[in-house]
């Protein structure tokens, strides 16, 4: 019952950490209370993308005539769409099980709780408690849907993301509270399926962390698709006593009552840090997060934390990168501190959003003199041919030294295009180098080259 590395939680933080630890020669175990793969594979990244794929196929079918095709009796089977998504999630979780076996990692089923002396108690489903010890204990217990006091989730009429991706029947109408990535992905999915969707966002723009131009384009696209968008608005209370839900929404113009079948609360996450022994060990937390240094060490030697439980962006690729960095440091192999300024963020609605680095507003606030370029997909041959001309690529450079400060994309397939900007920025590439890197024609990626060209007053197709 003694390990070199023991990881609590098997999300994209935990299971990736365990694999890297095993590759580095550590005797490794991972403790999991639910399903292998964590939120990402079971209730987050992957099942939502399966739902969004169904929405995309359905949207294509609804518009086949625009492609010179004909299709009749187009319909959807909501239950089957949900079933497909759950099946994809299940398959991914089994994949992690395979990876654990392949890498000779022990899977310990149950609820893990850290104890002083580098020990962990695991309570199995039968209630039996087993003690394990390890030289290095890595906490990767992730997070869950955050509940607002005035919007308590009952799992039926006021729901979180888990219920939203497994509803037995499709609601006719839905209020989505919060327009971060999770909120807008569900808003798009349900709208495509035929649910009447209203987004209520507290901030003045939807997808508020994005560049303002992106937010504005998203709002235009969503409104065109039939989604109602209420910004600078907040849900004050909900009344679930009747058939559906009545939400009292405070807007700039006063209070409004919205009625719907269901409310989806998508206002962020709450970390799983309760009852896992942090206080017994003396591990310091701040504002719901476990505090760590650059190498994910907590204040108590031998205890580490990575992923959603720590400060920083709550994203799967961040959790994985943190775990890898953490165990590489433990192993003493060469590794690098993560550059949190170069983390891509993606939203997979239609249109998709992808961004990295500073927004124009933030770059200005930081005092840079800017060169900004923009290329709309309406001027891209590939986008026109594909029938997806909405959106653009926007690039932001430091005028003095040519540093690529930020890249913001909205449009079809941009989540697969942002990696170019991430790699270029990692290599400290200047705008001119990107411009001279020949991009294939016709592709959506040409828009990156053209946006950079626009910043340098050399754009060809505008
Ligand atoms: C709807 C939705 C969509 C998302 N889409 C994306 C996306 O497209 N891209 C992206 O990058 N991110 C996305 N995310 C975020 C992403 O899922 C998280 O950032 C990621 O899962 C965090 O990984 P983690 O390993 O830190 O924690 P988690 O994935 O939350 O895993 C933690 C694991 O620990 C287990 N656990 C908790 N406590 C204990 C305990 N005491 N003992 C044993 N096990 C325990 C849990 O059961 C869970 O399996 C999405 C999230 C949601 C909710």
């Amino acid at each position: 019952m003694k390990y070199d590395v023991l990881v609590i939680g098997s999300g994209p933080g935990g299971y990736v950490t365990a694999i890297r630890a095993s590759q580095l020669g550590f005797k490794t175990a991972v403790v999991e209370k639910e399903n292998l793969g964590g939120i990402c594979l079971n209730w987050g990244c992957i099942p939502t993308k399966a739902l969004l794929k169904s929405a995309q196929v359905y949207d294509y079918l609804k518009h086949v005539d625009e492609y010179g095709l004909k299709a009749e009796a187009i319909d959807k089977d909501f239950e089957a769409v949900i079933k497909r998504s759950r099946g994809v999630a299940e398959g991914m979780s089994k994949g992690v099980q395979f990876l654990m076996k392949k890498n000779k990692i022990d899977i310990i089923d149950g609820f893990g709780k850290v104890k002083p002396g580098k020990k962990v108690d695991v309570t199995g489903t039968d209630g039996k408690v087993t003690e394990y010890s390890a030289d290095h204990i890595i906490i990767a217990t992730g997070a869950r849907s955050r509940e607002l006091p005035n919007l308590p989730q009952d799992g039926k009429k006021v729901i979180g993301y888990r219920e939203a991706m497994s509803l037995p029947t499709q609601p006719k109408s839905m209020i989505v509270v919060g327009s971060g990535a999770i909120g807008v992905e569900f808003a798009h999915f349900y709208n495509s399926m035929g649910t009447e969707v209203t987004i209520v966002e507290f901030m003045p723009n939807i997808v508020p962390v994005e560049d303002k131009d992106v937010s504005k384009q998203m709002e235009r696209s969503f409104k065109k698709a039939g989604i109602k968008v209420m910004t600078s608005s907040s849900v004050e209370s909900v009344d679930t006593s009747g058939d559906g839900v009545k939400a009292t929404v405070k807007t700039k113009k006063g209070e409004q009552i919205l009625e719907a079948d269901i409310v989806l609360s998508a206002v962020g996450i709450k970390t799983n840090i309760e009852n896992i022994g942090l206080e017994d060990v003396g591990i310091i937390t701040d504002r719901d997060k476990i505090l760590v240094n650059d190498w994910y060490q907590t204040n108590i030697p031998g205890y580490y934390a990575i992923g959603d439980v720590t400060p920083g962006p709550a994203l799967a690729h961040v959790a994985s990168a943190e775990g890898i960095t953490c165990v590489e440091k433990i192993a003493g192999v060469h590794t690098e501190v993560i550059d949190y300024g170069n983390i891509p963020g993606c939203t997979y609605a239609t249109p998709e959003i992808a961004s990295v680095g500073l927004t124009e507003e933030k770059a200005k606030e930081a005092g840079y003199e800017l060169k900004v370029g923009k290329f709309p997909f309406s001027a891209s041959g590939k986008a026109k041919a594909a029938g997806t001309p909405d959106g653009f690529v926007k690039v932001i450079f430091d005028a003095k030294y040519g540093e690529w400060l930020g890249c913001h994309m909205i449009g079809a397939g941009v989540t697969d295009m942002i990696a170019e900007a991430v790699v270029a920025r990692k290599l400290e590439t200047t705008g001119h180098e990107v411009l001279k890197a020949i991009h294939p024609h016709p592709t959506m990626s040409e828009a990156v080259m053209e946006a950079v060209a626009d910043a340098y007053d050399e754009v060809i197709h505008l």
Side-chain angles (χ1 to χ4, degrees), residues 393 395 397 402-404 407 420-425 427-439 445-453 456 458:
V393 174
V395 293
F397 289 93
E403 185 187 351
W404 195 349
C407 183
E420 169 177 358
V422 178
V423 174
R425 281 162 45 81
L427 300 175
E428 299 182 5
T429 306
T430 64
H432 244 100
E433 287 167 311
V434 178
L435 194 48
K436 295 298 172 197
I438 299 165
H439 287 57
S445 71
E446 284 171 295
V448 178
M449 186 175 67
E450 288 275 36
V452 175
Y456 284 81
E458 293 179 32

Side-chain angles (χ1 to χ4, degrees), residues 265-305:
S265 174
V267 292
I269 55 165
K270 157 84 194 76
T271 57
N272 297 319
I273 56 170
E274 307 91 343
N275 309 318
I276 59 167
L278 299 180
E279 302 77 13
D280 305 339
V281 178
I283 293 171
I284 294 177
T285 62
D286 181 39
R287 277 167 286 172
D288 198 39
K289 307 269 181 170
I290 299 176
L291 293 189
V292 288
N293 64 10
D294 282 351
W295 305 109
Y296 308 99
Q297 295 159 337
T298 68
N299 59 310
I300 305 292
Y303 297 82
Y304 310 76

Side-chain angles (χ1 to χ4, degrees), residues 17-336:
T17 306
I19 293 173
R20 189 71 188 113
S22 178
Q23 285 173 348
L24 290 163
F26 292 123
K27 187 176 179 230
T28 306
V30 62
V31 184
E32 174 54 59
K33 70 177 171 66
E34 222 179 315
N35 297 319
L36 289 176
I39 291 302
C40 178
L41 272 60
N42 296 286
W43 297 104
C45 326
I46 304 301
T48 50
K49 278 32 173 213
L51 295 176
L52 290 163
K53 190 69 201 177
S54 292
Q56 188 190 42
V57 174
Y58 190 39
D59 283 340
Y60 268 122
L61 284 172
K62 285 186 277 186
H63 295 105
V64 284
D65 53 326
E66 289 170 21
Y67 296 85
L69 305 169
K70 280 192 190 330
E72 278 166 19
I74 293 157
D75 206 355
K76 58 167 191 250
D77 178 345
F78 184 76
E79 216 176 299
V81 167
I82 297 287
K83 196 169 159 204
R84 174 178 180 275
S85 163
R86 297 315 310 149
V88 171
E90 212 173 290
M92 293 302 295
S93 184
K94 282 196 184 124
V96 175
Q97 196 163 5
F98 162 80
L99 289 174
M100 295 295 102
K101 200 168 164 199
K102 181 181 163 223
N103 287 284
K104 300 186 175 48
I105 296 161
D106 286 351
I107 301 168
I108 303 169
D109 291 329
F111 187 94
K113 188 172 177 179
V114 291
K115 295 202 302 187
K118 297 199 213 170
K119 292 193 174 66
V120 172
D121 269 350
V122 179
T123 310
T125 38
D126 54 2
K128 201 178 135 213
V129 180
T130 312
E131 187 186 84
Y132 297 86
S133 68
D135 292 334
H136 308 280
I137 295 166
I138 302 178
I139 303 164
T141 49
R144 57 187 187 271
S145 178
R146 181 173 150 229
E147 291 206 40
L148 291 179
N150 54 346
L151 201 56
Q153 295 175 23
D154 61 11
K156 291 198 165 55
K157 287 188 185 174
V158 182
I159 60 171
Y161 58 78
R162 283 200 191 213
E163 294 84 10
M165 68 184 88
S166 56
L167 285 178
T169 51
Q170 185 185 345
K172 285 199 174 61
S173 52
M174 175 183 268
I175 299 165
V176 177
V177 185
S179 71
I182 295 175
V184 299
E185 286 183 10
F186 279 115
H188 165 63
F189 167 71
Y190 276 100
N191 179 62
S192 292
M193 288 288 120
T195 297
E196 205 179 284
V197 176
T198 306
I199 295 177
V200 180
E201 169 57 53
F202 178 71
M203 301 294 280
N205 296 302
I206 59 166
V207 281
V209 298
E210 301 294 345
D211 189 275
K212 278 212 176 85
D213 288 352
V214 169
S215 294
K216 290 286 171 214
Q217 173 66 50
M218 191 67 170
E219 188 168 335
R220 273 195 300 276
S221 299
F222 265 19
K223 283 182 172 165
K224 200 164 111 189
I227 298 173
K228 291 195 193 89
V229 175
M230 296 173 72
T231 49
S232 302
S233 304
S234 56
V235 172
E236 297 297 293
S237 61
V238 282
D239 175 2
T240 55
S241 59
D243 277 350
V245 184
K246 280 187 187 164
T248 306
V249 180
K250 193 166 132 199
T251 74
K252 273 187 176 164
K253 292 180 192 149
E255 267 186 9
Q256 269 189 41
I257 307 286
L258 298 184
E259 291 191 39
D261 284 350
I262 216 163
V263 173
L264 166 60
S265 174
V267 292
I269 55 165
K270 157 84 194 76
T271 57
N272 297 319
I273 56 170
E274 307 91 343
N275 309 318
I276 59 167
L278 299 180
E279 302 77 13
D280 305 339
V281 178
I283 293 171
I284 294 177
T285 62
D286 181 39
R287 277 167 286 172
D288 198 39
K289 307 269 181 170
I290 299 176
L291 293 189
V292 288
N293 64 10
D294 282 351
W295 305 109
Y296 308 99
Q297 295 159 337
T298 68
N299 59 310
I300 305 292
Y303 297 82
Y304 310 76
I306 56 125
D308 280 7
V309 281
T310 61
L315 293 167
H317 41 286
V318 174
S320 301
E322 289 177 347
I324 290 171
T325 306
C326 176
V327 282
E328 286 183 347
K329 184 69 181 171
I330 291 170
V333 299
H334 174 75
T335 189
E336 281 176 24

